[in-house]
Amino acid sequence: MESWQAIVSAIIFVSVIFVIMVEWIDLTVAALLGALLLVFTNILTLPEAVGYIGKSHSTLGLFFGVMVLVRSFEPTNIFSYIATQIVIIAQGSGKKLLLGIVALVTPICAVLPNATTVMLLAPLIPPMAEEIGVNFVPILILMVFVANSSGLLTLVGDPATFIVGDAVNISFLDYLAKLSLGGTIAVITVVVTLPILFRKIWHTNLDNLTQLPHPQINHPRVLILGGAIATFVLIFFVIGDYLPIPISPAAVALLGAALALLLAHKSRIDSVHNILRDVDWRTLIFFMSIFVLIGSLDKTGVISSLSGLLSIILGKNILIGSIVLLFTVGALSSVIPNIPLVVAMVPLLKQYVVNVGLAPAAVLAPDFAGKFPPEVLPLFYAMMFGATLGGNGTLVGASSNIVAAGIAEQHGKRISFKTFLHYGIPITLLQLITAALYVLVRFLL
């Protein structure tokens, strides 16, 4: 591949991230224009660009399916009803509400992908915040932090975690034994910052709960059937990959969406046209464009070139290499969505450990099912922590961040890059430091 194409790909990618950071252009428009520039400069052909989108079909299918599922049941008023009940349970206390969100999201994100959890639970936040008279944007951002952090509790909690764990053939139980404590520490770090970063909400109290609106559930029979569909989807999210004929979470979400559309149509609680019109196409188009941008870096050799750079910088020093990798990937993950980042970084890191003689060439085979040398595993664990926690840094760092931004816009408010940065930078720095200490103590010292 010609060097000019690699340079142009890198410039376009950096430019897109820059204009998103300074908010000159809407993030979806910026990413879409960047992807189209790659096509019009012939760095990628249109079939190649579509091919890179196709490689990420599972992520896009999952998002689309859950969006349709959640939107289909809005006419039942279930989200407003649950939000009111949560405020009543919290006794109108902002402190209890924030802690309640941590307690609610953490166990769910241990078994479901974090972006999925945000899509399912985020619609509760705006009505809940309205009832206690606070801005819902910080609460949505807190939900994202907890979702991203608790994704480290199990192997399946975060797509980035699963991609790295699968690459080194770590089992579910091995993950629990070796790495779950690191996820617990990440969640505790968020809890410790609540009185400082979210102090306005922390000190809010609603004295008279009788003033709360008490929304009623509409279409109870439809809701019962909808609950059965949602239960089916959640169960198969967890067990689908372990069935004799595996069913991916994306396929489950799309089937759930189709059943929800059928139910809405037959019960006439809403039209299929209205439901599909309200899908967050902005978020879906953003992800498609980002996958094309990452694909261009892969095709033009930018990513493979970084592998040689790693070998020069890190050498064979696993201790220094792990810490440098954790903070470097954490910083990169703040500006590059962590799913495509780890997809790009896994082969890069495998090539690095082979280049410096720390692992046999056999580990590069796509079907390698053996054990990696134990001494190189801290590098992969560090990358896992960096990619997952770095996603808390900026608005574009993780898929759940973008999902939350889309839901905020649907409810009339915008999460700006600067607003997210205000909360994200301190959280991310603290979490990366505690994760580095954990990797050092647990695996290197």
Side-chain angles (χ1 to χ4, degrees), residues 379-411:
L379 291 166
F380 289 90
Y381 298 155
M383 181 172 69
M384 186 185 294
F385 280 109
T388 304
L389 298 176
N392 282 333
T394 72
L395 186 60
V396 298
S399 52
S400 50
N401 308 12
I402 304 299
V403 169
I407 290 171
E409 290 218 1
Q410 288 176 348
H411 288 84

Side-chain angles (χ1 to χ4, degrees), residues 15 27 50 63 106 122-123 126 147 149 197 217 258 278 319 326 339 363 440:
S15 299
L27 78 168
V50 174
F63 286 177
T106 298
S149 304
L197 286 180
I217 290 178
D278 293 341
L319 190 151
L326 191 150
I339 296 174
V363 304
L440 272 174

Side-chain angles (χ1 to χ4, degrees), residues 158-177:
D158 184 279
T161 301
F162 178 78
I163 290 167
V164 180
D166 185 57
V168 295
N169 302 322
I170 187 171
S171 70
F172 191 91
L173 292 178
D174 280 346
Y175 186 97
L176 289 179

Side-chain angles (χ1 to χ4, degrees), residues 15-94:
S15 299
V16 167
I17 297 301
F18 177 74
V19 298
I20 291 174
M21 288 176 64
V22 297
E23 299 178 356
W24 285 349
I25 306 176
D26 177 86
L27 78 168
T28 302
V29 176
L32 182 59
L33 285 174
L36 290 172
L37 272 174
L38 293 168
V39 173
F40 278 90
T41 54
N42 204 37
I43 293 172
L44 291 177
T45 65
L46 189 57
E48 285 174 332
V50 174
Y52 282 112
I53 295 172
K55 289 178 182 178
S56 306
H57 66 276
S58 58
T59 301
L60 298 170
L62 177 67
F63 286 177
F64 175 78
V66 176
M67 286 174 184
V68 171
L69 191 65
V70 171
R71 171 59 183 83
S72 297
F73 299 118
E74 275 188 7
T76 65
N77 218 25
I78 182 63
F79 299 115
S80 297
Y81 178 82
I82 294 174
T84 301
Q85 300 309 308
I86 291 174
V87 173
I88 291 172
I89 291 171
Q91 299 175 325
S93 165

